[in-house]
Amino acid sequence: MIRVTQSQQSGIALQSIATARARLQQAQQVAMSGQRVAKPSDDPAAAARNRLLGELGNRAASHRTTAQYGRSRLESAEQALGEAGNVLVRARQLATAMANDTMSASERAAAAAEVSQLRRAMVDLVNTEHGQEHVFAAIATDSPPYTDGTGFTYDVDTYTAVREVEVGTTQRLEIGSSGSMAFAQRAADPNSVDVIASLALLEQNLLANDRDAIQSDIDTVTRAFDQVLGERVRTGVRLEQLQRADEVAQQSQSVYARLSSELVDADAAEAFSRLSLAEYTMQAAVTVASRVLGPSLLNM
Amino acid sequence: MSTLSGILNIGRSTLAAHQGAIGVVSGNTANADTVGYARREVQIRSIVGGGVGVAAIARRSATFLEQRVLGANARFAAHDAKASGLAAVENALSDGEAGIGARLDALFASMRTLSVDPSDLQLRADVLARGNAVASGFSSAADTLARERSSADQAIGLEVERVNQLTGAIARANAAVGAAAPGSLSRAEHIDERERLVHELAGLVEIKTLAGDDESLTVLLQGGPTLVQQNVASTLRATPDAALGGLLRVDLVDPSGAPLDVSTTLRGGSLGGRLELRDDTLTDLASALDTLAFDLATAFNAVHAAGYGTDGATGRDFFATPATVAGAAQSMGLAAGLEDNPAWLATASDAASAVGGNANLLALVDVADARIALGGTATAGQAIASIIGNVGRETQSARDIATDASGQLEQTRALYQSQVGVSVDEELIDLTRFERAYQAGARIIETVDRMYEAVLSL
């Protein structure tokens, strides 16, 4: 028969109470924080996996921000292209009206003054700014892409592409409108038109009261309108793509947040039932210890 | 036939023996909860000519169980010390808003945002601030690891001093045991004290003890070197070692003065646990952090140097170039001058698009997906997750083993105590038994007294 000594009894009682108290503390921490994995040692594999999910979630949030910033920039360009289209519609209306034989030289001179205003408005639209940069400038975005004296300030044949940004793990989208494609005459495209030059030519032909030349300008201005409209359509497509990318990133963010929650968050019902169990265990350990340590022959 | 005086002597011896026995029982009862106290047992023998005497006062012992207690104590102390040290490191390296991983995510996010408008000075400044935060995250984590190594080192120095105090005291206790009479209370008390010292020593270093026929105790360090033999103790010596970066090397110095480096072989007890924490666990974590910092800075710099700032210049680094892998995390920072010159941020891939170009920025963002870490097998994010997993596993393992060892220690102690400890019930029964015997002895004397009176009245 095994001997039971005083220090053995008190040692077992102390150990039981210490173990119960440790379990109670752990259950309290989980119940209070709502987290099953509050630190890496709680579940190293889950903590490592949660970091990777955190990275993916943060990346998705970043993709959303990028898509939203990109949309804001594209909306500025899209608005400018819309207004440019309106300018060209008005220019075409004037050209069509002034190509009529009944128009006098003074009427054409008055129309030339309006076309001059339209041309200056078009220059302003080509030099549209968003934030600290010019949206139609392919390079040197801190400077206007068009000046009245020298025309385009960059090589429109070389810089036709627009800026791309990362909006998905493997997806990059264009977030700009090309000034070259919208407003410039490019060597690679014989049908392209220098939009501002076409307005200048119309103004010049109106002042010259040259009906045939004005008739010819109607076609040029129409092509300029189509050219601007084409870039506006492409810009609209880019806006839609960015919208979709934003939605995909938002969904991804939700998925990663849910997966992360499944990994590290505690189930409330389970956490509180464990807390209750730990409290009962603690009470039992203390009660049993007081009973075990009490009686001996000294009490007889 | 016994004479009256012979019978009187028997009564006297009965009183004396059981008075001594009651004294021993009283001592046992009083020390029922005294740490290191082993139950004394009175061995009462009949003596020539009748009567009884105390032949010896035996101290209960359980050599096999005691060895198990010492081993369990050393195992528990080693992992408990390791778990305590790792808890602080775990907090520093854990995932969260201020973790290195979250900071790196924020850096890449700020670069993606800047890629929308690369000439925006505020966004450029934000990228640099995030880069700085990544660097400070690495250096802060490296500082914590260095601080914990230093803290473990200081504790090692203190524990070496305590080991030497204990081995000296055990040697003196050995001498005192040898000087006391065999089977005496005095010898048992010296053995109790020696046992208490040995148990404390086992919490510091893993030891094995060998009991001699003369009740002297030889204490061996794990692996065989002798710490204490008879009344001679070896000492541990802690000296700063350049090879350990100025941290303490631990030598065992035998009585002849010959040193034996035990820094890499001491692994049990809190001293062993701290040496393992300092030289293996924390060193491995620091090395992983340094390697990742070096790889990340190198990869970033390679891409950044190929790009152009808005001032049209190229060839600049993003992070300060780390000289070596060792210390790369602690010394991590932005390249000199970059923080004050956001224009130096190389966002463009050619001089012509220096203002407005974002191609190089996208190449920098691609570093997030490049397998630049762990020898080209993992991304920076995966390497950070791996470090978090490793520190979690090390902490969990040390904590679990410490908990397991604590249970084993208590179980073994309970078994040991069941052999050598004091049961108050047992002592009270013995007290009653010896009291009855004492009363019987007194009755013998009383009877002889009456017999003398009867004889004298004849």
Side-chain angles (χ1 to χ4, degrees):
Chain A
M1 188 177 65
I2 193 166
R3 291 175 72 236
V4 179
T5 64
Q6 294 314 112
S7 58
Q8 185 186 3
Q9 277 186 320
S10 55
I12 290 170
L14 275 174
Q15 177 71 9
S16 301
I17 291 172
T19 305
R21 198 171 285 285
R23 283 184 187 153
L24 179 60
Q25 189 188 26
Q26 194 180 10
Q28 282 171 336
Q29 278 177 348
V30 172
M32 284 192 293
S33 69
Q35 286 194 308
R36 186 182 66 83
V37 184
K39 50 188 186 300
S41 61
D42 290 337
D43 186 343
R49 175 94 184 116
N50 190 49
R51 169 84 286 277
L52 294 174
L53 286 172
E55 183 186 356
L56 292 171
N58 288 338
R59 187 180 293 200
S62 163
H63 286 149
R64 289 201 68 197
T65 305
T66 307
Q68 286 160 5
Y69 272 52
R71 278 178 60 81
S72 167
R73 190 173 187 276
L74 268 180
E75 280 165 359
S76 294
E78 205 258 351
Q79 190 180 0
L81 289 170
E83 288 176 20
N86 292 339
V87 165
L88 290 169
V89 167
R90 178 61 187 151
R92 188 170 57 185
Q93 285 171 348
L94 285 171
T96 304
M98 294 305 133
N100 196 314
D101 285 338
T102 60
M103 290 296 165
S104 65
S106 61
E107 285 171 324
R108 284 181 176 139
E114 187 178 347
V115 169
S116 177
Q117 286 176 351
L118 292 175
R119 189 186 60 77
R120 283 195 295 275
M122 185 62 79
V123 170
D124 287 345
L125 289 169
V126 172
N127 290 335
T128 297
E129 289 181 68
H130 178 82
Q132 297 175 14
E133 65 174 358
H134 296 266
V135 293
F136 296 112
I139 56 171
T141 54
D142 55 346
S143 307
Y146 192 92
T147 56
D148 248 342
T150 54
F152 284 95
T153 56
Y154 66 93
D155 182 354
V156 295
D157 289 315
T158 302
Y159 300 103
T160 56
V162 296
R163 185 178 294 160
E164 284 186 335
V165 294
E166 185 188 285
V167 290
T169 307
T170 57
Q171 189 182 23
R172 285 183 182 176
L173 287 180
E174 294 171 328
I175 55 144
S177 290
S178 169
S180 302
M181 299 294 284
F183 303 111
Q185 183 175 29
R186 289 163 286 108
D189 182 2
N191 290 321
S192 59
V193 176
D194 184 328
V195 173
I196 296 171
S198 71
L199 291 175
L201 184 61
L202 175 60
E203 180 188 352
Q204 187 184 324
N205 291 334
L206 285 168
L207 284 172
N209 196 25
D210 185 343
R211 195 203 69 84
D212 292 340
I214 294 169
Q215 184 64 46
S216 161
D217 287 340
I218 295 172
D219 177 54
T220 308
V221 172
T222 301
R223 281 195 289 130
F225 173 79
D226 292 343
Q227 186 172 300
V228 169
L229 182 63
E231 187 59 17
R232 191 182 176 193
V233 168
R234 283 191 289 276
T235 302
V237 169
R238 287 169 194 148
L239 271 167
E240 281 181 19
Q241 287 175 331
L242 281 175
Q243 176 66 33
R244 278 202 298 276
D246 186 15
E247 287 165 5
V248 168
Q250 188 179 17
Q251 286 169 2
S252 301
Q253 213 180 345
S254 302
V255 169
Y256 296 136
R258 181 174 56 76
L259 291 174
S260 173
S261 174
E262 285 173 5
L263 266 182
V264 303
D265 289 345
D267 176 69
E270 188 184 339
F272 281 97
S273 65
R274 280 183 187 276
L275 178 61
S276 298
L277 183 64
E279 284 169 345
Y280 287 132
T281 308
M282 181 70 211
Q283 284 172 358
V286 171
T287 306
V288 170
S290 65
R291 284 192 187 177
V292 166
L293 295 177
S296 77
L297 285 175
L298 281 170
N299 305 103
M300 304 305 283
Chain B
M1 190 179 69
S2 297
T3 62
L4 283 179
S5 56
I7 297 169
L8 194 62
N9 271 334
I10 289 172
R12 186 189 55 78
S13 71
T14 305
L15 287 182
H18 291 94
Q19 184 179 331
I22 288 171
V24 170
V25 169
S26 302
N28 283 342
T29 309
N31 286 287
D33 280 324
T34 303
V35 176
Y37 183 84
R39 183 176 192 245
R40 313 311 193 229
E41 289 178 338
V42 183
Q43 293 171 1
I44 293 177
R45 296 278 186 272
S46 59
I47 55 177
V48 177
V52 294
V54 174
I57 299 169
R59 181 182 179 279
R60 284 188 78 122
S61 65
T63 309
F64 173 70
L65 285 173
E66 187 176 8
Q67 294 296 331
R68 285 182 57 187
V69 170
L70 295 178
N73 195 6
R75 185 163 174 261
F76 165 70
H79 289 94
D80 190 49
K82 199 175 158 187
S84 302
L86 279 169
V89 173
E90 185 186 24
N91 285 335
L93 292 178
S94 68
D95 191 20
E97 292 298 315
I100 295 173
R103 290 178 190 222
L104 194 58
D105 292 348
L107 172 61
F108 286 121
S110 68
M111 287 180 165
R112 286 189 197 97
T113 307
L114 178 62
S115 70
V116 175
D117 185 356
S119 54
D120 189 309
L121 283 175
Q122 291 307 314
L123 295 179
R124 283 178 164 264
D126 190 44
V127 169
L128 297 179
R130 303 291 182 182
N132 228 342
V134 168
S136 66
F138 271 101
S139 56
S140 168
D143 280 345
T144 302
L145 287 171
R147 207 164 41 244
E148 282 307 313
R149 286 190 80 202
S150 172
S151 172
D153 193 59
Q154 286 174 6
I156 286 166
L158 294 172
E159 288 183 346
V160 161
E161 281 180 28
R162 185 61 188 151
V163 166
N164 291 336
Q165 289 168 355
L166 290 171
T167 51
I170 291 168
R172 288 191 294 278
N174 260 345
V177 168
S184 66
L185 272 176
S186 167
R187 174 172 277 207
E189 282 164 9
H190 289 306
I191 293 173
D192 276 350
E193 173 61 9
R194 188 180 66 190
E195 189 171 304
R196 192 188 62 74
L197 295 168
V198 166
H199 279 259
E200 187 183 341
L201 182 63
L204 293 168
V205 288
E206 189 171 352
I207 53 171
K208 188 177 177 184
T209 57
L210 300 172
D213 293 339
D214 57 353
E215 290 193 295
S216 70
L217 195 73
T218 301
V219 182
L220 305 173
L221 204 54
Q222 67 169 7
T226 305
L227 266 181
V228 182
Q229 190 163 31
Q230 297 289 353
N231 59 351
V232 178
S234 299
T235 55
L236 292 182
R237 186 175 64 195
T239 45
D241 188 348
L244 293 169
L247 298 177
L248 298 171
R249 186 187 73 239
V250 180
D251 292 318
L252 175 69
V253 184
D254 68 19
S256 72
L260 172 68
D261 185 355
V262 291
S263 301
T264 54
T265 53
L266 267 181
R267 282 299 176 264
S270 58
L271 182 56
R274 290 187 209 286
L275 281 166
E276 187 179 351
L277 177 73
R278 186 194 73 179
D279 297 340
D280 296 341
T281 314
L282 295 182
T283 305
D284 289 349
L285 285 171
S287 173
L289 202 64
D290 278 340
T291 305
L292 177 58
F294 184 88
D295 290 343
L296 186 67
T298 305
F300 251 87
N301 287 347
V303 177
H304 193 266
Y308 292 77
T310 52
D311 59 351
T314 187
R316 295 189 184 113
D317 284 339
F318 185 82
F319 288 114
T321 308
T324 56
V325 172
Q330 204 156 26
S331 64
M332 199 172 189
L334 288 183
L338 185 60
E339 195 171 4
D340 297 327
N341 296 284
W344 291 8
L345 192 59
T347 47
S349 58
D350 56 75
S353 63
V355 177
N358 74 347
N360 202 56
L361 201 50
L362 294 180
L364 281 169
V365 169
D366 285 343
V367 172
D369 293 320
R371 295 185 182 280
I372 60 162
L374 303 179
T377 61
T379 65
Q382 288 167 340
I384 291 169
S386 167
I387 289 173
I388 289 172
N390 284 343
V391 74
R393 268 185 289 279
E394 287 285 355
T395 311
Q396 187 189 50
S397 167
R399 198 179 58 204
D400 288 352
I401 295 174
T403 305
D404 177 55
S406 169
Q408 279 186 9
L409 177 60
E410 288 309 316
Q411 195 179 18
T412 315
R413 267 188 185 149
L415 276 173
Y416 178 65
Q417 281 300 321
S418 78
Q419 294 293 311
V420 306
V422 176
S423 162
V424 171
D425 294 338
E426 215 171 55
E427 299 308 322
L428 289 177
I429 289 167
D430 276 356
L431 190 65
T432 308
R433 192 161 57 92
F434 292 137
E435 186 185 356
R436 290 289 183 204
Y438 187 88
Q439 287 169 345
R443 181 64 64 85
I444 290 170
I445 292 170
E446 192 182 325
T447 303
V448 171
D449 184 48
R450 283 202 301 272
M451 288 169 73
Y452 267 122
E453 276 181 15
V455 169
L456 290 173
S457 65
L458 288 176

